[in-house]
Structure formats: C-alpha cells, structure tokens
Amino acid sequence: MDDEMLKDFVVEALELATNVEEHLLTLERHPDDLEILNAVFRAFHTIKGGAGFVNLPAMVSACHLTENLFDALRTGKAPVTPLAIEAALQASGFVADQLNELSNGAAPDSLASMPAELKDILTQAIEGKSEAPAAAAAAPAAAAPVAAAPVAEVATSAPAAAIDGSASVMKNGELDWPALYQALVPGAAVAAPAAEAATDTAPAAAPVAAAAAAAPAADGEPKAAAPAQHNRRASDTAGSAKEESIRIDAGKLDALLEVAGESVQAANQAAVLLEKLQQFKFEGTAAALMSTLAETLGRASRYSSELQRATLSTRMQPVGRLFQKFPRLVRELAKDLGKDVDLVITGADTEVDRVVVDSLYDPLVHMLRNSLDHGIEVDRAAAGKSNKATISLHAWQAGSSVMIEVFDDGKGMDPDMLRNKALAKGLITEHQALTSDEALQLVFLPGFSTKEVASSVSGRGVGMDVVKTAVEKHRGTIRIESTIGKGTKFSIRLPIELSIIPTMLVRCAGAPLALPMAVVERVVELPETFDEVGGAPVLRDQGRPLPVNSLAGVLGYEPGNERVGIVMAVPHPYILGVESVEGTADLVIKPLTAIHTAGITGTARSAEGELVLVVGLSFLLDGCRDMERTAVA
C-alpha cells in the first residue's frame, strides 16, 4: 500500500513540477501575471503536502522555501526578479530530480538533502522583500509535515487559497498555526468565522477546507485522504477528470492492442472464408445455419473492430506532454551559447500513439540543440536580422499521420558545403548526393559533422543519425528544407497509430507486398516500351516526365511482366511498376526487429491469411534507395 501511495504521489508531483517549469518560463516574460504566481504557489504547496505525507524531508524543505518566496511575490512584498525566477527554476529542478530518482526505484531515505546552494539562492530571493525576518523565522517549520500528528498533516496540506486573507489564522504576515489548527478541527470556537473569511476570499476552496476538516473523524484516514483530496482540487480544471481516470501499466495496454489486432485479423479471415462458402448451394437447415453464421460473423467483426479502435484510443496522448519539457532546455542552452532565442510552440494538443511520444524526446532534443548551435547566428545584426531569434515547434494531424516541424530563422545550410564535407570524410563518392535536396540529407549519415572541433553541444558526428534512426523505427520519415540566410526546417511525419496502417496490396514476382497509402497518389497503366532519359525509363504523366522504377527490381526480386504503375506522392515524384494491384486494406503491422532487409519495414497477414511484406515509408520517400546500403564507410 505504501509503495502504491508513493508511486501515485510521484506521478502526480512530476506532472505538477513540469507545469511549474512552464509557468516560470512564462512568468519570466510576464512578471505581473498574478494568475501564474498563484498557480506556482499552489503547485509547490501541493507537492509539499504530498512530500510530507510520504516522508521526503528534503523536498518538503525546498517546496516550503519556494512557497515562502511565491507568497511574497504574489502579495507584492517582493518584486519578480531574474534571481527569483532562477531560484524557483533551481527548486523545481531539484524536486523533479528527486521525483525522477523515486520513479526509477530509489528508496526515499536514499535521496540527497537539499543543497546549501539552493537554500542560499532561495533565501536571497526571499530577503529581497521588506519582511525578511518573518520569512526566515518560518523556515524551521519546513520539516513539520514529516513528523506531525494526523491533524497537523491535514492542516499543512490544506489549500493556501482557503486561508489567504483570514485575520484569525494570520499573524505578522505569517500563518498562526494554533489558529489554523482550531480553524480546521470540528467544534473549535473560531471554525465558523474562519470558514466565512475563506468563503469571502476564495469561494471555490471552501468545500475543500470543509472536507479536510471532516477528515480527522476516522483514525489513520486523514493521512491517506487529505493529500489525495487536496491534489484533486489543486490541479485546476483537471480535477474532475482525474477522479474518473485510472493508471494502467503500459505493457498491459500493448498486450490488449495485440489481442485486439489479432481478433480483427481473425474476423477478416473468417469473412473471406464465409464468402467462399456462400458460393456453394445450401438448402433447408444448412441454408438457415449459413444465414445465421453470416449474421454472427458480421457482428463479431464489428465488435472486434470497435475493440481495436477503443484500445488504440487509450494509447493516444497529446504531444504537448513532450513539448512542455523543451522551453527550459532552449532557455538554458541559449544562455550558455550567448544567444537570445524564443521558442514558439503550436499544436500541442495533437494526439499520437504514446510510444511515439515517449520515443520522440531524444530526437527533438538533438534537433533543437542543432538549431541553437548550428542554425542561430551569434551576430544576427550583421545578417540584418533582429537580435532575438525564433525556433518554432509545430505539430498537426495530416490524414493518418502526425506532422512535427522544427524551424529556426537562422543562417540555413549550404548544400555544396555539406557535400564537400561528406566527400572529405569519405562518407560518399563523387557520384552521390548530386542534387541540393540529397546534399541536405547528408547530415543524417553516421559520423557526419560540420564542426572541426567537438564542443559540449555538438561536433562528434552523432545526433542527427540517431534522429533518423529513431523516427524510422516507428515507420516515420524526416526531411530537411533549408534556405541560406533564411533558416532551416526539419519535417517529421509519423503514423498516428503505430500498429495499424492503411495500405495498397500489390503483387511483384508472385510475392504479396503492401505499400503505405500515405505515399500512393494513383494507379496508371504502363506501356510496352518507355522513353529513356540517360538510359533510365521515363513515362510522361499529366505533362511531367517521371522516372519508372520496378518494385521487384529495387527489392531484389526477379522482375516479371509489370504493366501497372503507381504514381508516388513524394517530394520527387516517380512511378513504381508492379505486376498487379489487389486492393486496399488496413493491416496490423509486426515490425522486423531481428533482421534488416532493404526496403522492408514489417510483416502483416492479409484477410486470406497470406503473409504480406510491408514496404518502408522512408524507403519509398527516398526514391527506393537504401541510404544505409549506399553510404560508404
């Protein structure tokens, strides 16, 4: 029970700590925003209450001092200064580090105590107000929630908003603990006046105070009930939603999705078998049974599809959960590099599979660091630009894919310089990366870097190849567009749902293959003979000459009689020749993990039960070229 309670506290507190960091960075730009000041105060107060309950004294101390600081800031006793923001950021960082250690299995008693430096900077920030001695006197109370009796536990975790402005519980600008005790214990003489004052100043918090006051009626219950009750109320508008949600182990969701996918596959296969059976003539009882079987299978198919959709929806999460980690990272790194950079985030509510959200953190960190170090100029005035640079992080849904763009208004990339660097390092030959677009993609090659000397930020030739590998692992693609002097844009396309993708089923050399519908434009008939450009076959389609590739040929099959062409909707369009097109299907994809096969990203089962190879999206986008195979060591 204790472990479960600690786990719940860590999850809730980590969410609060992340939100605090976002609030602080906003506060740095809008120091007069009272709503943000109050939100940060409430967050630290809530974490302090829970930390005291699960016996984390260092966290309690850090939260208590930060709470004192924000009490002074929101009441106007101290101004919002860069020192105050820095102190609060260090405090939230310390709290987040401890929470992450707990999340990774560390024992509560193994956590470090609050660093003296953090205490010093918080104290300095607090001493910037007029009533420094009063604030200092309150500091020893930081450890009170750890060893306090159950009733005192309730008092320390009661929402501060419920007591602000109450004369009966305030003395010299600080909390009068005996008066607060009386205010929260049923039957105390001052309980009614305190409740009235609380109602005047914060009507929304009054029911919480009343609930907290009733809690001590049962021995042992207040300790468990009070922090949970407070956390629900203190999480702003998300309170009601949390009461209706439960936490499920991600592995269980994955297993459920696997079963749901297999059930859909089995239902589809049964439908095909039924269709074949219905070609025979049945009479009497057999005909009635066939009719009932058809109706039952139809219902089973609908329910299995609904189960699959419902399971998929449970795995969907907004990318904002990931994006909110980046403002501070950009702020700190820009500060280290001596650059003035503003991070603009849009589309944070776009939803994508949770596995994608979890795996995108490292790639996006690499891309943001790359933009800050390589893209943004040190002397922007010399380039005729404003001193403040902008990096934008934008997400949106495009059909069955989610698009994520990272754009910086920096100096851009020179394709010729990139190609010369790759040649000098022996990463390509003279006959590779001849176009500007191909040259830009060279930054994804392992070992490629434009820096002569490695720094703490970049230059070791690792990073962007990791980005490409991580994106393609989830059947995604990444492209680069850059204009010298204007900036660079990285575009990531990922499937919203990892396990199921719409495909076009084709056949090459007798083998069944599936192409992602995301890159299929239309189907055309291929002639007996082609025009040629440079010895390569070309077909004129809607007035434009498009190169023709044999799908069997590029995958290593023996090419057959390919008379059907698929026009590919990619940055550099081309036509893919196949023997036949057999329709479309939403397939449950099983990724290839044990082996690497050029062009193939996974396998699936067709409705007839046949094993189908799924052609990779990035392979098709690159014009059926395998970058790993063509790169020279």
Side-chain angles (χ1 to χ4, degrees), residues 132-152:
V146 180
V151 174

Side-chain angles (χ1 to χ4, degrees), residues 8 107 214 280 449 475 504 521 565:
D8 285 347
F280 297 96
S449 176
R475 297 195 302 280
M504 174 172 279
E521 187 173 321

Side-chain angles (χ1 to χ4, degrees), residues 131-409:
E131 297 182 20
V146 180
V151 174
E153 249 337 297
V154 176
T156 56
S157 60
I163 58 172
D164 283 350
S166 173
S168 60
V169 294
M170 301 295 289
K171 184 183 291 183
N172 297 326
E174 286 296 315
L175 290 174
D176 185 340
W177 294 103
L180 181 60
Y181 174 87
Q182 287 181 304
L184 293 177
V185 174
V190 294
E196 279 182 19
T199 305
D200 290 339
T201 54
V208 187
D219 282 343
E221 281 303 305
K223 281 199 160 190
Q229 178 78 355
H230 173 61
N231 285 345
R232 286 198 293 269
R233 296 294 183 262
S235 56
D236 300 328
T237 57
S240 59
K242 287 194 176 184
E243 290 174 3
E244 297 174 4
S245 65
I246 59 172
R247 293 192 184 94
I248 301 176
D249 183 79
K252 293 179 181 178
L253 275 182
D254 294 341
L256 181 60
L257 183 62
E258 178 84 10
V259 172
E262 293 295 343
S263 70
V264 169
Q265 209 68 47
N268 290 343
Q269 197 167 347
V272 171
L273 291 172
L274 179 65
E275 191 177 337
K276 290 179 178 178
L277 274 175
Q278 287 174 331
Q279 294 173 1
F280 297 96
K281 188 175 181 181
F282 293 92
E283 295 179 352
T285 306
L289 286 173
M290 283 299 296
S291 177
T292 305
L293 178 61
E295 191 275 331
T296 304
L297 280 177
R299 195 165 69 249
S301 179
R302 286 195 304 274
Y303 285 144
S304 60
S305 296
E306 282 298 322
L307 172 63
Q308 189 179 54
R309 275 193 291 270
T311 308
L312 282 168
S313 69
T314 62
R315 291 165 53 103
M316 304 301 281
Q317 291 186 343
V319 292
R321 188 174 73 84
L322 176 69
F323 286 2
Q324 65 187 0
K325 300 177 182 179
F326 297 131
R328 185 177 181 188
L329 181 146
V330 169
R331 174 187 181 272
E332 299 293 340
L333 188 55
K335 191 175 170 184
D336 292 344
L337 294 171
K339 300 176 180 181
D340 188 5
V341 182
D342 192 19
L343 178 66
V344 178
I345 293 176
T346 51
D349 57 348
T350 306
E351 289 194 329
V352 71
D353 192 288
R354 67 153 190 90
V355 177
V356 174
V357 172
D358 293 340
S359 64
L360 273 178
Y361 177 75
D362 285 340
L364 286 173
V365 166
H366 281 301
M367 291 162 71
L368 289 170
R369 290 167 68 92
N370 192 67
S371 293
L372 280 160
D373 195 26
H374 292 281
I376 304 300
E377 307 94 336
V378 176
D379 185 4
R380 288 174 61 86
K385 299 179 180 179
S386 67
N387 189 48
K388 183 181 280 292
T390 300
I391 296 178
S392 62
L393 187 56
H394 178 40
W396 74 96
Q397 186 175 334
S400 60
S401 301
V402 64
M403 300 293 298
I404 298 175
E405 281 186 357
V406 177
F407 173 77
D408 67 74
D409 63 350

Side-chain angles (χ1 to χ4, degrees), residues 63-118:
C63 288
H64 182 78
L65 276 176
T66 315
E67 188 182 359
N68 281 350
L69 170 61
F70 273 83
D71 188 39
L73 296 177
R74 71 196 186 119
T75 54
K77 295 176 184 173
V80 178
T81 61
L83 176 68
I85 297 292
E86 186 61 36
L89 280 171
Q90 287 190 26
S92 71
F94 171 72
V95 169
D97 288 345
Q98 292 222 325
L99 290 169
N100 282 319
E101 285 185 50
L102 290 169
S103 182
N104 293 329
D109 55 7
S110 70
L111 298 179
S113 57
M114 183 171 66
E117 298 81 6
L118 176 58

